[in-house]
Amino acid sequence: MSRRARWTLAIVSVALFMTTLDNLVVSTALPSIRKSLGASIESLEWTVNAYTLSFCVLLLTGAALGDRFGRRRMFLIGIAAFTISSAAAALAPTTDALVAARALQGAGAALVLPLTLTLLSQAVDASQRGLALGIWSGVSGLGVALGPLVGGAVVNGFSWEYIFWLNVPIGLALIPLAARRLDESYGPDHQLDLPGLALAGLGLLGIVYGIVRGQALGWTSPTILASLATGALLLAAFVRWELRAPAPMLPMRLFRSRALTATHGVSLAMFFGAFGSIFLLAQFFQTAQGYSPLEAGLRTLPWTAMPIFVAPIAGVLSDRIGSRPLMATGLALQSIAIGWLAIVSAPTVAYSSLVVPFVLAGAGMALVFAPAANAVLGAVRPDEAGKASGATNAIRELGGVLGVAVLASVFTANGSYATPATFTAGLTAALPVGAAVLAVGAVVALFVPAKRRREFAQVAVADAAAA
């Protein structure tokens, strides 16, 4: 791997670490935030989903802005926005202020995340892409693994506000380094697709807002029905516009690729099942079993630490055997693990009974991350990597919003925070929903073309581009 590629891999991995660490750091701190600010489960849901909402809505915009105005430039702007908003979250005096800061964090992350994949794919030779993506995914796994532990340690030793200060020194160190070491690059489109940006952003906003607010307002309320219907109509208008736009932000012909479309389904299912379950399980040890935040973070390590070890191996294997068997196996393992946890979870359950399903769930997540990224990049031309990764990340985050909203709704219908028993009742009712969606994702993964067919398609695309 060249020196330039190593620097790019290091910088984008640190940026990815910063954003992934923030997700589960907040999940571990939810009980402390609830007690400190008197937050309801709806407010806690917004603390998670305000970030995810703006992230999901703006992901396609982030990729398109990077193609138009420069990927390094927009990457730096995203890191700066994320760093500033992290400080604002740390200083938030109320739940409303915290939710607003989290929304700005999501906007910054929407610029950073898709561009990490684009910058990496351009800097690394195709023959080493699987290795690079494995390392990239392993670093992401490190952020996931350290999130509950670091969050628990910080909340236990200081207070929940300090979990957001963690991002500030990382961001301040990363900005000058990225400005010096990353090469500037642009996408093939010199014209910004403003109608596409507006239709996609507002359409996703309508869908996601309806999902997040559905439990509070009622799924048949006029506000929710109008939000969902308007979002769906705007997304349909977005598809129609992209089919005839002179410079589309998301060419619809990309979805003719079975590999790309099936991988999108895999990503949606995984983030629905995994992150919807984590939202509740991260609170289980504290709310139902009375452990401190640090003790709770330590107990999640068998789950969250597995991607550190498995993701790099999965990245290398995806080059050799293809993404399909790895993704199908990974989702099946997660489905089994979440179903297992639903069966054994109880206020008095011994921790030893949870270790094996935690390990299975973590290994399953790691088997999906790098192979899914490799499948997406292998299905499109290099100059379309930003658009494809932006679409994939938007779909993943939509899956996460769906998972948190739906599983929180099932939890609320069957349990509460009142006692350990009622919390566990809600948890064990919600987890089977996540397990079922993960099982569907395992089936969808079987529709990803086998390695030989995908390699043939890549050669055909490269030949057509050269011609």
Side-chain angles (χ1 to χ4, degrees), residues 357-378:
F358 277 3
V359 170
L360 290 179
M365 288 175 65
L367 288 175
V368 177
F369 283 136
N374 212 358
V376 169
L377 294 178

Side-chain angles (χ1 to χ4, degrees), residues 180-247:
R180 180 179 178 185
R181 295 291 183 177
L182 293 181
D183 293 334
E184 186 61 282
S185 63
Y186 298 84
D189 298 329
H190 300 289
Q191 179 182 349
L192 192 61
D193 181 13
L194 292 177
L197 291 176
L199 289 170
L202 292 174
L204 285 171
L205 178 62
I207 294 291
V208 175
Y209 179 84
I211 292 168
V212 171
R213 294 287 288 161
Q215 174 63 26
L217 301 181
W219 293 102
T220 58
S221 70
T223 300
I224 297 303
L225 292 177
S227 179
L228 294 173
T230 302
L233 289 173
L234 288 172
L235 289 179
F238 167 73
V239 172
R240 183 176 180 181
W241 167 256
E242 295 298 285
L243 287 170
R244 60 186 179 87

Side-chain angles (χ1 to χ4, degrees), residues 258-259 318 320-325 445-458:
R258 197 175 82 189
S318 69
R320 297 180 180 177
I321 66 174
S323 297
R324 179 171 69 183
L446 298 177
F447 289 89
V448 175
K451 183 174 188 289
R452 183 174 298 176
R453 284 189 64 181
R454 189 172 67 254
E455 286 180 341
F456 176 81
Q458 289 176 6

